[in-house]
Amino acid sequence: MPSILGNGTSALLAFQRALATSSHNIANATVDGYTRQRVELANRPGDGLRNNYIGAGVQIASITRLSDTLVTNRLLDSQGEIGRLDLVNGFALRIDQLFTDATTGLAQPFSAFFDAAQGVAAEPASQAARTELLGRAEALVARFDQLQGGLDQIDREINARLTGGAEEVNRLASEIARLNVEIARNGPANASPDLLDQRDRLVAQVATLTGVTTLPQEDGSLNVFTTGGQPIVVGATASRFITVQDDFRNDRVVLALETTTGTVRLGAGSIAGQLGGALSSRAELVDAGRAELGRIAATLAEIVNGQSAAGLDLNGNVGTDFFALAAPQPLANRNNTGTATLAVDIANVGALDGVPLEFRFDGANWTARRGDNGAPVALAGLGTVASPFVVNGIEVVVSGAAAANDRFLIEPTSNAARDIALAINDPNRIAAASRIRPSADLTNLGQGRVVSLAVLDPTNAALTTPATVQFLTPTTFSLNGGPAQAYTPGANIDANGWRLVLDGVPRAGDTFRVGANVSNSSDNTNMRAWAQLDDARVLGGGANSLNDAIVAQTTRIGSAARETSFSLDSQNAIDEALVQQRESLSGVNLDEEAADLLRFQQAYQAAAQVISIADNIFQTFLAAVRR
């Protein structure tokens, strides 16, 4: 039955709880992730009707946790993206510094090498100039190796990051699953707000590592998934993140998730956070950087060796390889069951793009696709020695018996920067002179003159065979006594793997000759061509030079670093706005809590006064009865 004492007692207890809640809020004002709590009061049902109605006081309806699910989910998305961008930005800045700094970048030793080639062209017989060229070549090779080593170091760090991150996620997921059990045991209506805060903090930590989406359940538990939809925690069950060895590379681990339905490998597109950033950095920064750096190294070796083969050294010998570079080594999938092996060779640097290729045998035919995005790539040839597969500037020969679903990964240039080396150490073996030289008969009466003589094919067996260009008229000539050919000043005359360019107007009977050069020659023809190879348009089907490629790679790396920095700054600004939005509702405002304390204190004192009055009335009643 309602009474003054009952009303006072209920108020006293209610405002005592309100005071306790406010003090709890104040005590946790600086705790990260704490959500403000509020006591919700409701009147207790009274007794009687209309004029006879008497109220029964107050009761605590609930302890409300002031949170906004939409803002919380947006914060989780933001934290996952910040985790990803922060890691990618850190690696991008390191790679940017590695490639753009004058003391570690490629541009300075690359230019110095070709400057030294110009020095040999100026003084082809100088031992000092030749020794300088070898020294600059050694420095360039060392710089290639240093840059490759820097990328390899980041790759190893990514392995460690994936392994450590997987262990941390497993610990957090187990804790979330445990809290789900405790919360579900009491039911969502009776869930402790502090337990919910604890779970939210754990979910936020997982979001930073992997990115998450969440799905509340009717029993109060929270299911947590990766951004790609793979389960991390479902009710009381936590999936397990593991790292497994890559199918092709023994030095690399990949991320996988062990769930109740099996093991799922996680790619960069199926996960965010720091682990997703590690996978993105590996693909977009490390692998792409190594491929392009290797493409530059492989192209340099190919064209310099080709030019060396077109010349003679001081000993009168045909030039040998100046750089040594091993052929690309295909990587067999660890699940292959056949005995097939692949041999790879760089055939055309103009078509070489460095993109990894995955070869697959379907039981009848070989197919190829890009290793970075899975796009199919057309294969030419049969894969035999006589007719190798030709794709993207490489030739592939298959031997042995492949089984259905056997796969091989070919990274044409990924290791070229590490593998390139100097093939000679004797200055006399630098092929500065051309294997062939032109001459004009002293009896020539016209104004014709030799502009240039270049070796087009140093493997041509007739390259050094003496050849004669005799003019029949000022506009026609005969090559080695053959039929008349039209002559235009400055036009190419090609034969036996060489190209002769004449200018001026010769007279009938004028003769020009092409023949073998002599040993110990101070001729610098080959070295002059060599010194211009850095600007030779040999890449991209003849569109770009090595200088262009170096500038493009440096620019691309710098742009990636700036882009990730800008993106990280923008995401931090978005996150800060979301934090402020959350704090406006869920954060503890000390001024507001202080005002509530005073208000609840006054109410508590008033309730105590009600009880005191009830006691006085009761004592008056007892005194009246005793009389």
Side-chain angles (χ1 to χ4, degrees):
M1 177 177 176
S3 65
I4 298 175
L5 180 62
N7 287 346
T9 303
S10 68
L12 193 71
L13 293 174
F15 292 119
Q16 183 183 40
R17 178 65 63 83
L19 285 167
T21 301
S22 287
S23 65
H24 184 60
N25 286 339
I26 293 172
N28 289 277
T30 59
V31 175
D32 187 40
Y34 175 76
T35 302
R36 183 162 62 99
Q37 300 170 18
R38 184 174 66 193
V39 175
E40 303 291 347
L41 302 178
N43 59 299
R44 292 166 62 180
D47 194 12
L49 297 173
R50 295 178 65 85
N51 295 336
N52 295 320
Y53 178 81
I54 301 176
V58 68
Q59 64 182 355
I60 298 172
S62 65
I63 305 294
T64 302
R65 182 171 174 264
L66 300 176
S67 64
D68 186 327
T69 301
L70 178 60
V71 173
T72 299
N73 288 337
R74 290 175 63 193
L75 265 173
L76 290 177
D77 292 340
S78 177
Q79 288 161 353
E81 185 64 5
I82 286 177
R84 186 187 73 82
L85 288 172
D86 186 55
L87 195 72
V88 173
N89 184 57
F91 286 136
L93 290 176
R94 285 175 56 185
I95 294 174
D96 180 43
Q97 183 177 14
L98 183 67
F99 277 79
T100 60
D101 191 277
T103 59
T104 58
L106 186 62
Q108 192 276 333
F110 186 83
S111 297
F113 171 71
F114 282 98
D115 288 344
Q118 292 280 6
V120 176
E123 298 180 273
S126 170
Q127 286 293 309
R130 289 170 172 264
T131 301
E132 176 71 6
L133 178 59
L134 290 180
R136 294 300 185 181
E138 289 176 349
L140 179 57
V141 166
R143 184 59 54 86
F144 273 118
D145 186 64
Q146 180 184 7
L147 291 171
Q148 176 91 7
L151 294 174
D152 290 345
Q153 174 61 33
I154 292 176
D155 199 12
R156 289 190 292 271
E157 290 179 20
I158 289 174
N159 281 343
R161 178 79 65 168
L162 293 175
T163 302
E167 294 173 354
E168 180 65 8
V169 173
N170 291 338
R171 183 187 69 80
L172 295 171
S174 298
E175 285 295 306
I176 294 172
R178 182 185 63 81
L179 290 175
N180 275 345
V181 172
E182 290 190 38
I183 293 169
R185 183 185 300 122
N186 298 323
N190 300 316
S192 165
D194 291 329
L195 279 184
L196 295 176
D197 281 351
Q198 185 180 351
R199 185 176 65 182
D200 280 356
R201 281 192 289 269
L202 293 172
V203 172
Q205 292 179 56
V206 174
T208 301
L209 290 170
T210 68
V212 297
T213 58
T214 58
L215 184 62
Q217 302 300 296
E218 293 182 357
D219 62 357
S221 60
L222 187 70
N223 291 351
V224 184
F225 302 88
T226 68
T227 52
Q230 297 299 329
I232 300 176
V233 178
V234 177
T237 303
S239 300
R240 183 168 176 264
F241 279 78
I242 59 173
T243 53
V244 296
Q245 203 168 48
D246 185 81
D247 284 341
F248 295 102
R249 299 184 54 165
N250 295 328
D251 61 343
R252 176 171 285 185
V253 298
V254 296
L255 199 62
L257 187 64
E258 286 185 341
T259 68
T260 55
T261 58
T263 300
V264 180
R265 293 201 173 190
L266 301 174
S270 62
I271 190 171
Q274 293 179 4
L275 297 183
L279 294 174
S280 296
S281 298
R282 172 186 282 172
E284 298 169 10
L285 299 177
V286 175
D287 287 349
R290 281 197 296 216
E292 182 60 16
L293 181 67
R295 185 172 79 116
I296 294 171
T299 301
L300 176 68
E302 288 286 326
I303 63 175
V304 169
N305 288 347
Q307 194 65 52
S308 180
L312 289 179
D313 62 20
L314 274 181
N315 301 320
N317 299 320
V318 174
T320 58
D321 284 351
F322 186 81
F323 290 111
L325 183 64
Q329 295 299 310
L331 305 172
N333 188 287
R334 65 180 62 259
N335 299 313
N336 287 358
T337 58
T339 60
T341 58
L342 272 59
V344 183
D345 190 30
I346 295 175
N348 179 10
V349 294
L352 189 65
D353 58 12
V355 174
L357 298 171
E358 183 178 315
F359 276 62
R360 180 179 177 273
F361 186 67
D362 62 8
N365 300 299
W366 286 93
T367 58
R369 63 179 184 178
R370 290 172 61 108
D372 54 355
N373 58 23
V377 180
L379 290 176
L382 303 175
T384 62
V385 175
S387 177
F389 289 128
V390 179
V391 56
N392 293 357
I394 62 173
E395 292 180 347
V396 182
V397 175
V398 180
S399 58
N405 296 319
D406 278 0
R407 293 182 296 156
F408 294 84
L409 180 66
I410 298 176
E411 298 175 309
T413 60
S414 288
N415 295 317
R418 182 190 63 201
D419 293 342
I420 190 172
L422 199 58
I424 66 174
N425 55 18
D426 182 359
N428 290 337
R429 292 180 59 192
I430 296 175
S434 177
R435 289 171 60 185
I436 53 177
R437 63 175 183 174
S439 62
D441 283 4
L442 296 176
T443 58
N444 289 354
L445 300 176
Q447 296 178 346
R449 62 183 180 85
V450 176
V451 175
S452 64
L453 175 64
V455 175
L456 300 180
D457 180 11
T459 64
N460 192 303
L463 178 66
T464 58
T465 301
T468 301
V469 176
Q470 186 174 34
F471 280 85
L472 307 177
T473 69
T475 58
T476 59
F477 68 90
S478 171
L479 180 62
N480 293 330
Q485 301 182 45
Y487 165 72
T488 302
N492 298 330
I493 301 175
D494 295 347
N496 300 346
W498 48 255
R499 171 170 292 168
L500 176 67
V501 178
L502 301 176
D503 198 7
V505 181
R507 289 189 182 183
D510 284 359
T511 303
F512 297 86
R513 304 179 190 277
V514 175
N517 206 349
V518 296
S519 62
N520 201 24
S521 172
S522 60
D523 171 33
N524 66 353
T525 303
N526 196 53
M527 186 53 64
R528 282 191 286 111
W530 182 331
Q532 297 173 0
L533 289 177
D534 57 337
D535 283 323
R537 299 196 174 278
V538 294
L539 295 172
N544 303 308
S545 68
L546 283 172
N547 278 330
D548 294 335
I550 292 173
V551 171
Q553 184 182 33
T554 304
T555 302
R556 185 163 49 248
I557 291 171
S559 296
R562 288 190 297 272
E563 181 181 345
T564 55
S565 293
F566 292 153
S567 297
L568 181 59
D569 290 342
S570 297
Q571 192 61 48
N572 279 327
I574 293 171
D575 190 75
E576 181 62 27
L578 288 172
V579 169
Q580 292 299 326
Q581 188 175 353
R582 178 194 181 278
E583 287 299 307
S584 66
L585 173 65
S586 304
V588 176
N589 186 314
L590 292 176
D591 293 335
E592 182 180 345
E593 294 299 331
D596 285 343
L597 278 176
L598 291 175
R599 184 162 55 89
F600 294 145
Q601 181 187 20
Q602 292 173 351
Y604 184 86
Q605 290 171 343
Q609 187 64 31
V610 170
I611 294 175
S612 177
I613 292 172
D615 180 62
N616 288 338
I617 293 174
F618 186 64
Q619 294 301 326
T620 301
F621 174 76
L622 289 178
V625 171
R626 283 198 296 270
R627 293 193 186 98

